[in-house]
Each structure stands twice: as C-alpha cells, then as structure tokens.
C-alpha cells in the first residue's frame, strides 16, 4: 500500500519554486509524505491564458516586492542570500528537459543544484554551459545526458508534463497537487499541502 | 514615546483583505503592535499599471484557486464558511468612503462588518442599502454619515489615501507597511509584518 504523497510542480525560472525546492525534502520527511518532483514550463501555460510574459516583468512593483520578500524569506529559512539572476526570468527549458530525463532519485539533487546556480550564484541557467557544469558537479556524464535530454522522445516527455500541469488547473509555480486533485499554489502553501496529503493518506 | 505600529492597507473588494481584517486585531494585540486601518482603492492602482481589471477576473484559473484557498483558510482560522459575493469583485467605493470618514475607533468594527456582509452573507456591498444597514447595525446615524462620506472633502481624503498607498509602492491588497517603509504584500505576510514592526519598535 502506498503511503501519503504529494506532486510538486516547479519551474526553473521561478524564485518561489526555488524556495520550495530547498525546503520540501525536510518538511515532507517530517510529515511522512513522499514527494514527486515534477518540473514543467510556465511559458505555455501563461500563453494559453493570454499572457506573453511573467507578471514579475509586466508589473515592476510586484517584481520589486518579490525580491525583497525573497530576501526576507531566505533569512528566515536559513538559506544563503539571494543573487538576482540576469536575465530574469531565466530560460529553464534545457534544465527542465534534463530534470525530466533524470530518474526520480537524481532529479531532486539536480534541481536544487540548478536553483543554487541561479538564485545564489546568479548564473544564467539558460546557458548550456551552466547546465553542463551543474551536471558535472554532481558526477553525471554530462554530454550523454544533454544529448538524451534533447532527443525528441524526451522533449515530448516534458511537453506531456506541462500538459498534465495544465489539465490539473495549474496557473503558476510552485504548485502542489494531492492525490485527490486539490491544488495548492505557491511556496506559502507547502505546509498546508503536506498536511492535506497526510490527512488523506 | 509611541510603541510599535503597523499600517494595514485594505480594499473592500479583496478576499484576502477580508481574512486579514478578521485576524489582525488579535495578532497585533499579542505582538504589542498598534495597527492603523487604512482603506484604499485598488482600481486606480491597477489602472496606473495598465491593468483594467482584477487578476482574479482576467485569470479564471487563479480565481478558481483563490476561492478554494479561501475555503481552506477560513476553516483553519475558525471563520465562517465563505459565500462568494456577486458581482465580484464588489465595488467598495462607498464603503471605503465611509471607512475613511469614521474615526480610528469606529473604523475596524465597520470594516469587519462590511467584510462579513460581503464574504459571509454574500451581500453586494456596492449597494447603498447594504452600507446603510451595516452602519445601522453598528448603531451609527447612517444618513448623516453617508452624506458626510460623500462630501467633496471626504472623497478627497480617500483619494489621498490611495495616492499615499501608491507612493509606498503598493500594488495589491492587503498590504502592510512598517514605520521604516518596508512593504509586506498579502494576508500570508501579516505575521512577518508584525514581527518586523515589533523588531524596529
């Protein structure tokens, strides 16, 4: 019998997804909930709703608040100070392709390492070389992985994940979905999502 | 010497402002922070950023999540079940004019009563009769107040509050601003804003 579980949908360009990626493992372990890490792309979902860009780009005041909010949240969470990546939001396509290609055991460490490169070191994760270095740093054979991540079947796999996110009603990242289809949007809802996942078992 | 204080900016059409309005008094008392209740209008602030409507109207998926999120949050907070008001968002102009006209001692109770009419009873707070009944229920002389709330000087007062909100960088509601100008957006940041208000004293 499977225990409690939670689907964690994240986008590599999303600052609040970074926070959840750094927090979720310890919280889920304590709650006794198994997490499925599901990278997806927010771009197609925004476009399907008629938005061409991130709200952080179209609303400068919202962006300004997001960065100071993030500064406060990492202090509280005991995470390193944030470096604001340029360009923002980063193009997370290659990283997402690699993440869906990796197996369930390797995906969390790779995803966290990409987020650290992006939001702590301020590197451009849209650059192929950054993704290569992150993979190499984790001991992967990076050239093989990049080739396989960009093969048609794997591109299709990521498209499928983004479509799955869309079918579940996702409109932002991070989002958490429990087995009964309840959707929890935002890093601020991680604890509530874990509570619900545990309650329905 | 004045103690710690926090400015609470709220909009009567905003569901998350309702939550903060119901929660803030007890939390602020426990934190030893004095709250200034500052109603304002979000419409002019949205329009100044090029948005004609609430994101809850332009993004149906975001609206759907907001209502289920609100249902979950009121359960956790021990508040009554939410009734979704029609039209949404409500026109809070008259309620806001009355709220800025009232003195600091009467404004919180009136504001909470408006929110209860709107989000618990599902009444249209844009209707003059609803505002009248809420005022009457609190023992105010409602005809006098409505006349004074709609006098030019008081309309100007509300405009001034909305402009003050704009100068502080507000882009949504509820928002909290501490004496040092730190901005905290959203009901989810109420505790953090109170902590900061107390820390800077």
């Amino acid at each position: 019998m499977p225990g409690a579980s939670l689907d964690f949908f994240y986008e590599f360009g999303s600052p609040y997804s970074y926070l959840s990626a750094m927090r979720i493992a310890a919280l889920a372990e304590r709650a006794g909930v198994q997490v499925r890490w599901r990278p997806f792309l927010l771009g197609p979902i925004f476009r399907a709703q008629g938005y061409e860009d991130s709200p952080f780009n179209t609303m400068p005041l919202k962006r300004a608040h997001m960065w100071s909010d993030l500064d406060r949240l990492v202090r509280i969470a005991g995470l390193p100070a944030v470096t604001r990546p340029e360009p923002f939001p980063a193009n997370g396509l290659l990283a997402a392709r690699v993440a869906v290609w990796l197996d369930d055991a390797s995906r969390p460490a790779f995803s966290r390492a990409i987020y650290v490169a992006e939001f702590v070191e301020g590197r451009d994760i849209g650059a192929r070389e950054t993704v290569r270095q992150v993979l190499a740093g984790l001991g992967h054979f990076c050239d093989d992985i990049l080739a396989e991540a960009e093969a048609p079947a794997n591109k299709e796999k990521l498209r499928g994940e983004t479509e799955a996110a869309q079918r579940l009603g996702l409109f932002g990242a991070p989002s958490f979905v429990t087995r009964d289809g309840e959707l929890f949007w935002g890093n601020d809802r991680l604890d509530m999502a874990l509570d619900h996942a545990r309650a329905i078992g």
Side-chain angles (χ1 to χ4, degrees), chain A:
Chain A
M1 200 192 89
S5 74
L6 185 65
D7 282 17
F8 166 36
F9 284 92
Y10 56 104
E11 144 77 57
F12 280 110
S14 148
Y16 291 104
S17 294
Y18 156 60
L19 282 183
S20 288
M22 302 312 277
R23 298 171 60 228
I24 198 168
L27 294 171
E29 165 128 34
R30 200 177 333 164
V33 172
Q34 188 168 354
V35 176
R36 286 214 296 165
W37 289 60
R38 302 185 67 174
F40 75 111
L41 298 180
L42 213 37
I45 288 185
F46 280 155
R47 281 192 291 277
Q49 294 174 86
Y51 288 87
E52 285 307 312
D53 202 348
S54 156
F56 293 134
N57 277 345
T58 56
M59 298 183 73
L61 293 174
K62 191 166 194 164
R63 180 177 49 210
H65 175 269
M66 180 271 290
W67 289 122
S68 34
D69 190 46
L70 212 64
D71 289 342
R72 297 187 294 237
L73 291 170
V74 297
R75 263 201 307 277
I76 292 171
L79 292 168
V82 167
T83 304
R84 303 179 185 183
E86 285 288 347
F88 178 81
N91 181 346
L93 176 62
L94 181 59
R97 284 178 176 162
V98 170
V100 298
W101 183 85
L102 291 170
D103 62 22
D104 292 345
S106 303
R107 192 175 303 116
F110 169 76
S111 301
R112 282 189 297 258
I114 285 286
Y115 279 127
V116 168
E118 182 180 7
F119 289 107
V120 180
E121 298 163 5
R123 291 157 73 190
D124 177 12
I125 61 152
R128 195 173 187 81
E129 190 49 26
T130 308
V131 178
R132 270 183 55 88
Q133 289 173 1
V134 167
L135 278 169
L138 292 165
H140 290 291
F141 294 100
C142 30
D143 289 329
D144 295 357
I145 292 185
L146 287 178
E148 295 184 53
E150 289 183 311
N154 191 64
K155 290 181 178 178
E156 190 51 43
K157 196 172 168 191
L158 176 59
R159 264 195 296 273
E161 282 295 272
T162 298
E163 285 162 13
Q166 218 156 0
R167 278 193 303 273
L168 291 165
L170 268 73
F171 58 91
S175 289
F176 310 97
V177 181
T178 46
R179 195 175 288 159
D180 57 354
E182 280 277 294
L183 169 66
F184 300 79
W185 169 56
N187 174 62
D188 291 325
R189 294 292 173 271
L190 170 52
D191 299 273
M192 207 185 291
L194 285 168
D195 285 348
H196 185 66
R198 185 167 52 175
I200 63 170

